[in-house]
Amino acid sequence: MKYKYRTIDKVTGEVHHYFDFKELKNYLDIYSEELEIRDSYKKSYECKNESDAIKICESFNIKLEIL
């Protein structure tokens, strides 16, 4: 089975691989919650699709690669 996504944390250098969007979403849910706390006056930062994932990653200086 091949990986579908890879994230690279540009600050720590950590690299993670994911087989599907569900795995990626589980990883990004932590960051989504932090964004909601930071920007509580704005809309929800729920990770529903690849576009949402890209926005969340950009907010935390994480490179998202779709393989």
Side-chain angles (χ1 to χ4, degrees):
M1 191 167 187
K2 294 176 79 175
Y3 292 116
K4 188 167 181 181
Y5 303 97
R6 175 176 36 228
T7 56
I8 304 166
D9 188 318
K10 296 178 183 178
V11 176
T12 65
E14 289 182 38
V15 177
H16 297 277
H17 293 87
Y18 313 92
F19 288 110
D20 56 31
F21 184 77
K22 183 179 178 180
E23 284 185 322
L24 174 64
K25 180 190 178 316
N26 288 338
Y27 172 73
L28 293 178
D29 278 347
I30 297 166
Y31 295 101
S32 297
E33 290 172 13
E34 189 172 326
L35 282 173
E36 286 184 18
I37 292 168
R38 269 197 227 164
D39 299 331
S40 59
Y41 62 93
K42 292 187 178 181
K43 65 178 184 167
S44 173
Y45 286 94
E46 190 173 349
C47 187
K48 297 178 189 174
N49 53 45
E50 287 180 355
S51 178
D52 292 342
I54 290 168
K55 290 176 188 173
I56 292 167
C57 287
E58 287 175 353
S59 297
F60 287 93
N61 206 17
I62 296 172
K63 180 179 180 181
L64 173 61
E65 295 177 344
I66 301 169
L67 308 173

